Each structure stands twice: as C-alpha cells, then as structure tokens.
C-alpha cells in the first residue's frame, strides 16, 4: 500500500502484524533497544520522507517505557520529513489522572497530551477513553473509537443465556457505559458503589440492583488488580460471572461457579 508506513513499539507487536496483514502490507522496520543506562534508543529502519506514518503503541504493561518509545518514534519520523504522523494508542496512558481531584494532584493525562503534541503527532487514534474530556486536552484531531459493537457481538455469540444476564458497572463512573450496553441488549443493569482507602484497595462496596443467582457481566475500562471483581464475587451470590475490560484489546475473562 503506497504512502503508508506502520511502525510498532514493544507493547503490541502481534496487533501491528495483524493490522498490517489486513491492509495487505508489512510492519515497517524499526529497532528498539536500550543503552546500558536504560535510555531508550529508536532507529527507524527505512525512509519515511513524504509518507503517512502510523505508530502503534499502547499504554499498558511497562507504561513509562512504552510511552517514551512512542514519543521518540514520533519525533524520529517527524524530523525525517514524514508527511503526517498518527499515533494509534489503544489504551491511553495515565488516562485515570484526568482531573485535579485533590490539592496538588497532577493532571497527568494532560501532560501526556502535551508530550505527544510536542513530539510531533498530527493525529491521535485511541479507544474508549477513561474520560471523554481527554480529547479536549489536544489541539490536534483525536478519534476516540468505541468497542461497544464488538462487546455486544461477543456477548451474543459466547454467552448462551445472555438474555437473562445483568450488566454490572464496577463504579459510578462506568454507569453510562453499562446502561448503553444493557439498553442495546434489552437486559437489566446494576451498579457497584465502592470506597477506597488507598489506590487499588477496595475498602467497602454496595450493590445497587439484583444479581442473585443471575449471570453477571462486569464491564470496565481499567483493571489493575481486579480487586473489585474478587470482592463482588465473594460478597454476592452470582451464578456465573464474566468480566469484560475493553480498551485493553478486548480481554474477555470467564469465572464460573463463583
């Protein structure tokens, strides 16, 4: 395919390979390595002059290393006279730090947006942002894609009695997402209100809705330790539990006999 170059960082090389195959091309050559002092080194292996460049890198796993790889790749392509550089970021890094929720708290998602713009990105493609206002942190075009159609398709194809299920949001922030899915499936929904003493540790939770002896599908956009899922499974009588976390490339987990 002429005038298109697809570069991938270390976060999802398999995904980049599949995207390239779908487009009838191959991922472009890039060497990613580290110096002895752990500095990231990027070597673009082919000409990008006048090309439309897409750089695929997600903000999961070793987030800081992957972020620096992406920034350096964007910069390298931009100063090598690429016509346009698009950053494809399935999971936006630092997305949960999107507001100043307490004194002296940073808005790290805005900082990441500034870094991407300064590095030379002309366009951002991402998925299911933790907060839609992150799009407003940019002065360049941002496409926020939604995985909901794929989630609906998976539920209908893989859950036999999906018409009897309950869609559950693990927190108040995800209520809008869960209501949308429940409406499309024409099923009930429930909400878990949780309180945390410290990050990643649920202190108390309250369920609003009925999941007793029902198939529960918990839908979330960020899951580090799955502490909410474990506590919900221990506390409430759920016949069958499915967990869907969908900006992280559609991971579908099934826990039976909870």
């Amino acid at each position: 395919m002429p005038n298109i170059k697809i570069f991938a960082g270390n976060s999802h090389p398999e995904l980049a390979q599949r995207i390239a195959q779908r487009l009838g091309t191959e991922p472009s050559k890039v060497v990613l390595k580290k110096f002895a002092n752990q500095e990231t080194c990027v070597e673009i292996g082919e000409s990008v002059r006048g090309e439309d460049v897409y750089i695929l890198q997600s903000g999961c796993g070793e987030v800081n290393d992957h972020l620096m790889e992406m920034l350096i790749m964007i910069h390298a392509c931009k100063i090598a006279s690429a016509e346009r550089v698009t950053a494809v970021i399935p999971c936006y890094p630092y997305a949960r730090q999107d507001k100043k929720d307490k004194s002296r708290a940073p808005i790290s998602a805005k900082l990441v947006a500034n870094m991407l713009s300064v590095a030379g990105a002309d366009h951002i493609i991402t998925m299911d942002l933790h907060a839609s206002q992150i799009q407003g942190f940019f002065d360049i075009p941002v496409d926020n894609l939604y995985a909901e159609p794929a989630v609906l398709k998976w539920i209908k194809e893989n859950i036999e009695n999906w018409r009897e299920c309950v869609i559950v949001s693990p927190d108040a922030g995800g209520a809008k997402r869960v209501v949308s899915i429940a409406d499309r499936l024409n099923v009930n929904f429930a909400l878990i209100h949780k309180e945390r003493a410290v990050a990643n540790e649920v202190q108390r939770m309250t369920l609003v809705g009925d999941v007793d002896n029902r198939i529960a599908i918990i839908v979330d956009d960020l899951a580090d330790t799955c502490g909410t899922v474990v506590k919900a499974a221990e506390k409430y009588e759920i016949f069958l539990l499915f967990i869907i976390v969908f900006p992280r490339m559609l991971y579908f987990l099934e826990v039976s006999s909870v």
Side-chain angles (χ1 to χ4, degrees):
M1 184 174 292
N3 301 321
I4 287 183
K5 299 285 186 180
I6 301 173
F7 292 96
N10 285 320
S11 66
H12 285 300
E14 298 88 356
L15 176 62
Q17 184 67 45
R18 294 181 66 177
I19 291 174
Q21 288 176 355
R22 187 71 176 265
L23 295 172
T25 184
E26 290 290 330
S28 300
K29 297 176 182 177
V30 60
V31 176
L32 301 167
K33 57 185 180 181
K34 287 188 175 182
F35 294 118
N37 64 353
Q38 299 304 302
E39 283 186 6
T40 298
C41 176
V42 172
E43 297 176 3
I44 304 297
E46 54 192 84
S47 174
V48 296
R49 183 177 297 275
E51 304 281 11
D52 194 0
V53 174
Y54 291 82
I55 296 174
L56 175 66
Q57 184 80 307
S58 198
C60 56
E62 298 177 352
V63 179
N64 295 327
D65 285 344
H66 293 161
L67 177 58
M68 279 306 302
E69 282 181 5
M70 177 168 55
L71 293 171
I72 296 172
M73 281 194 289
I74 292 170
H75 176 68
C77 290
K78 200 65 179 178
I79 64 174
S81 302
E83 179 71 19
R84 186 178 69 159
V85 178
T86 298
V88 183
I89 314 170
C91 183
Y92 188 89
Y94 292 90
R96 76 183 67 190
Q97 300 181 48
D98 62 328
K99 58 184 178 293
K100 193 176 179 69
D101 56 355
K102 54 187 176 182
S103 298
R104 299 173 297 281
I107 307 178
S108 302
K110 168 62 174 173
L111 174 61
V112 172
N114 291 342
M115 294 166 68
L116 289 166
S117 298
V118 171
D122 300 297
H123 181 204
I124 304 294
I125 299 176
T126 187
M127 284 187 68
D128 289 292
L129 284 170
H130 186 62
S132 295
Q133 68 261 25
I134 292 175
Q135 296 174 82
F137 294 164
F138 291 88
D139 293 322
I140 57 177
V142 177
D143 286 325
N144 181 28
L145 308 181
Y146 295 96
E148 183 178 298
V151 171
L152 294 170
K153 182 174 182 288
W154 187 91
I155 290 174
K156 291 178 179 179
E157 291 179 352
N158 293 273
I159 301 179
E160 184 177 354
N161 298 320
W162 62 267
R163 290 180 177 84
E164 307 299 324
C165 73
V166 179
I167 311 297
V168 182
S169 173
D171 53 42
K176 184 177 179 180
R177 181 187 312 111
V178 161
V179 169
S180 176
I181 294 174
D183 286 345
R184 295 281 295 276
L185 293 173
N186 195 27
V187 298
N188 294 328
F189 68 91
L191 171 68
I192 296 174
H193 172 70
K194 58 191 177 186
E195 298 177 5
R196 285 191 172 104
V198 295
N200 294 329
E201 185 177 320
V202 178
Q203 186 177 37
R204 188 178 67 176
M205 63 167 53
T206 303
L207 177 69
V208 181
D210 181 19
V211 297
D212 287 353
N213 297 314
R214 304 282 296 276
I215 298 174
I217 303 175
I218 296 180
V219 180
D220 204 356
D221 68 326
L222 289 172
D224 289 340
T225 64
C226 290
T228 301
V229 174
V230 173
K231 277 191 171 291
E234 291 173 347
K235 187 172 183 179
Y236 305 110
E237 294 183 6
I238 300 172
F239 174 68
L240 191 64
L241 175 64
F242 293 84
I243 308 101
I244 300 177
V245 186
F246 55 70
R248 304 203 185 267
M249 305 325 299
L250 293 176
Y251 288 141
F252 296 102
L253 310 176
E254 177 180 343
V255 182
S256 60
S257 303
V258 175

